[in-house]
Amino acid sequence: MIVRSLRWRLAIAMMLILASMIVAAGVFSSITVKHEFDRFLVTQRKNDARAAMELIREGGRARLAESIERASRAYGMRVIVFGERGGIVARYPHDLDRYGILRRPNGTLELSSNDRGRVETLVVRGSGQKLAGIGTIYFIPPAPNDARQSFRISIDRWLVAGLGAGVLLAVIVVLTIFRRVFRPVEELTSGARALASGRFDARVPVRGNDEIAELAGAFNSMAEALERNERARRNMVSDVAHELRTPLTNIRVQIEAAQDGVIDADAKFLGSIEEETTNLARLVDDLQQLSLADAGQLRLERTYVPVIEIIERALSGLPTHDKTLTHDVDDELELHVDVRRIVQVVRNLVVNALAHAQSRVHVVATRDGDAVEIRVEDDGPGVAPEHAERIFDRFYRVDESRSRTTGGAGLGLAIAKQLVELHDGSIRYEKPAFIVRLFIPF
């Protein structure tokens, strides 16, 4: 319904406000014009009266009748002259003859007539103008004519026409503005509904650089993030299934082979089963660790520990595969961390470096301002720029073939990133090293 639409409610309210303003301005203008016109007429009559007095003064008593006729014709006024004894000595025009004229002591003049039952009374307030040698002269405004009434009617007509045009223009402007404003809102609404229905590729056009355009840009960024997250979720499900399927398939095949008598269930067979089971357990532990970190339920047991102890525990027992593994750590460096978690971080980085190094891996820990910087370097080919930003994603591996000879399930770096960020630190890759920054307690 139109009434329920925010666009139409705002548009109607805006049009009512504009219409009220236009009507108020029009009425005020009309009243002002009429008032100023009446003031102009009063001023004009005063000027005409002074000019008429000069004509009558010039004519004198001898030419009184001729003078008042000229004055009446020239300035459109009716003239009545009272003599020095109080009686009327001259009047013009002759339609004044039908009036009974009464002059009161205060100078007020009353004219009344009765024409076929139609009574007309005219009161002229104030005393007349005395002229020496002639008497007292009264100038009576002309009878109401159609010109003045026509002027006032014309003003009212133009007022109505102007109001109508103003209101129509206001409606057009308001509807145009609201269409430009609410069109992006409608597009955003459609985009939001598309996202809600699972269409993560929905985007809205961005027009201009105002707040609505910023909102549209933010919506598109959100949609891109949701699409990326949905794609990552689907890939993660596929990767988890793949990582679980491989050891389970190996276990099932070996058990079936043992049942069919193809292989013997000896110590070698049990060792192979144990290895695959260990891979499964490690994958499940990694997934659980990531889920706890995402939920904010991974607890840290912080203690003060020398950095050299962390590095030595991380490097102990690692198979080097004939590669040199060295470290260079300042003995005085100390951190307030969950030792087990940070050892796991360094160990994951070193394992990754050993998998790609050609001959050596070197671990360096130094102080950098208010932080300890741990660098894990190797002499391998390094990570290509197109992969550098994604190597911390879950299940992401540079080797798309997912060969186990070049890496694990692709969770080691993701777990390292989560654990470092839980310690309010940062981790990044700058060829040829992974760099971990952890803040020193004071």
Side-chain angles (χ1 to χ4, degrees):
M1 295 177 60
I2 291 179
V3 178
R4 295 179 57 187
S5 172
L6 178 61
R7 171 198 288 187
W8 285 106
R9 283 188 289 177
L10 290 176
I12 292 173
M14 186 66 71
M15 286 187 288
L16 289 176
I17 293 173
L18 290 176
S20 300
M21 295 174 60
I22 293 172
V23 170
V27 172
F28 177 77
S29 300
S30 175
I31 294 174
T32 302
V33 169
K34 291 177 181 178
H35 177 70
E36 292 299 322
F37 179 70
D38 290 341
R39 287 182 58 187
F40 168 78
L41 290 180
V42 171
T43 303
Q44 186 66 32
R45 286 169 184 168
K46 289 181 179 179
N47 294 333
D48 291 345
R50 284 194 291 268
M53 283 292 292
E54 290 298 323
L55 283 176
I56 296 173
R57 181 182 290 108
E58 290 174 1
R61 187 175 181 82
R63 302 172 60 184
L64 181 60
E66 180 182 350
S67 297
I68 65 175
E69 180 179 351
R70 287 176 58 196
S72 178
R73 291 180 180 276
Y75 301 105
M77 293 186 296
R78 293 176 287 182
V79 184
I80 300 176
V81 181
F82 286 85
E84 294 179 352
R85 295 183 179 181
I88 297 175
V89 296
R91 72 180 76 178
Y92 193 88
H94 298 295
D95 64 348
L96 290 175
D97 296 340
R98 62 188 179 90
Y99 286 96
I101 301 175
L102 175 63
R103 183 185 181 192
R104 296 189 177 279
N106 62 359
T108 300
L109 202 63
E110 293 185 4
L111 290 78
S112 60
S113 69
N114 189 343
D115 185 12
R116 300 177 184 179
R118 180 183 177 185
V119 179
E120 181 182 354
T121 302
L122 178 64
V123 178
V124 181
R125 300 186 181 278
S127 58
Q129 302 183 40
K130 293 183 179 181
L131 191 60
I134 297 178
T136 304
I137 302 174
Y138 284 87
F139 294 101
I140 303 172
N145 52 42
D146 295 337
R148 182 171 180 271
Q149 187 66 20
S150 177
F151 176 78
R152 299 178 72 91
I153 293 174
S154 177
I155 291 177
D156 293 335
R157 287 177 178 173
W158 280 108
L159 171 64
V160 173
L163 292 178
V167 171
L168 180 61
L169 181 62
V171 170
I172 294 174
V173 170
V174 168
L175 292 180
T176 301
I177 293 176
F178 274 68
R179 181 176 179 272
R180 292 179 62 87
V181 171
F182 279 93
R183 182 179 177 185
V185 176
E186 292 175 348
E187 292 172 344
L188 285 169
T189 303
S190 300
R193 289 173 177 168
L195 287 180
S197 64
R199 290 176 47 205
F200 296 104
D201 59 341
R203 302 291 185 272
V204 296
V206 180
R207 303 183 182 90
N209 54 1
D210 54 8
E211 290 80 358
I212 298 296
E214 292 181 3
L215 179 61
F219 176 88
N220 288 341
S221 299
M222 178 190 68
E224 290 173 3
L226 289 175
E227 184 179 19
R228 185 167 56 252
N229 292 339
E230 177 64 14
R231 186 165 53 247
R233 184 189 66 81
R234 293 176 180 175
N235 292 340
M236 182 176 178
V237 172
S238 175
D239 291 337
V240 169
H242 175 84
E243 295 296 335
L244 291 175
R245 184 184 302 113
T246 301
L248 287 174
T249 301
N250 290 339
I251 293 172
R252 180 173 59 82
V253 169
Q254 292 183 64
I255 291 176
E256 289 178 352
Q259 290 175 339
D260 294 338
V262 176
I263 60 176
D264 296 329
D266 53 10
K268 182 179 180 182
F269 168 80
L270 294 176
S272 176
I273 296 295
E274 182 183 7
E275 180 182 357
E276 296 298 341
T277 305
T278 301
N279 290 334
L280 277 176
R282 184 183 301 113
L283 176 60
V284 172
D285 288 342
D286 289 345
L287 289 173
Q288 183 182 19
Q289 196 167 189
L290 284 173
S291 65
L292 290 175
D294 288 339
Q297 297 178 358
L298 193 62
R299 297 180 180 179
L300 298 179
E301 298 177 0
R302 293 176 180 262
T303 58
Y304 289 93
V305 59
V307 177
I308 184 63
E309 181 180 336
I310 295 175
I311 302 302
E312 289 178 348
R313 288 177 58 178
L315 302 184
S316 64
L318 287 179
T320 60
H321 304 291
D322 298 327
K323 298 174 184 177
T324 304
L325 180 57
T326 59
H327 65 273
D328 183 8
V329 182
D330 186 350
D331 295 338
E332 296 181 357
L333 291 179
E334 189 177 63
L335 287 172
H336 185 234
V337 295
D338 186 320
V339 179
R340 184 167 61 90
R341 305 295 184 188
I342 298 304
V343 167
Q344 182 181 3
V345 169
V346 177
R347 193 178 186 88
N348 285 355
L349 297 179
V350 173
V351 168
N352 183 83
L354 287 171
H356 297 87
Q358 295 180 355
S359 61
R360 68 176 183 86
V361 174
H362 185 52
V363 181
V364 181
T366 58
R367 179 165 182 167
D368 183 17
D370 60 348
V372 170
E373 187 173 278
I374 302 174
R375 299 173 61 91
V376 179
E377 304 175 352
D378 66 78
D379 59 352
V383 180
E386 63 269 18
H387 300 292
E389 294 183 358
R390 298 195 58 194
I391 55 176
F392 294 102
D393 293 349
R394 299 169 188 183
F395 291 101
Y396 183 81
R397 294 197 300 184
V398 177
D399 179 16
E400 296 183 357
S401 66
R402 306 194 67 82
S403 171
R404 290 188 175 276
T405 62
T406 58
L411 291 176
L413 295 180
I415 292 174
K417 183 173 185 292
Q418 287 276 14
L419 294 179
V420 170
E421 290 179 349
L422 281 175
H423 286 80
D424 299 321
S426 63
I427 183 171
R428 68 185 188 276
Y429 175 79
E430 291 181 2
K431 189 175 181 179
F434 286 95
I435 301 173
V436 177
R437 282 178 57 86
L438 297 170
F439 294 98
I440 299 174
F442 290 102

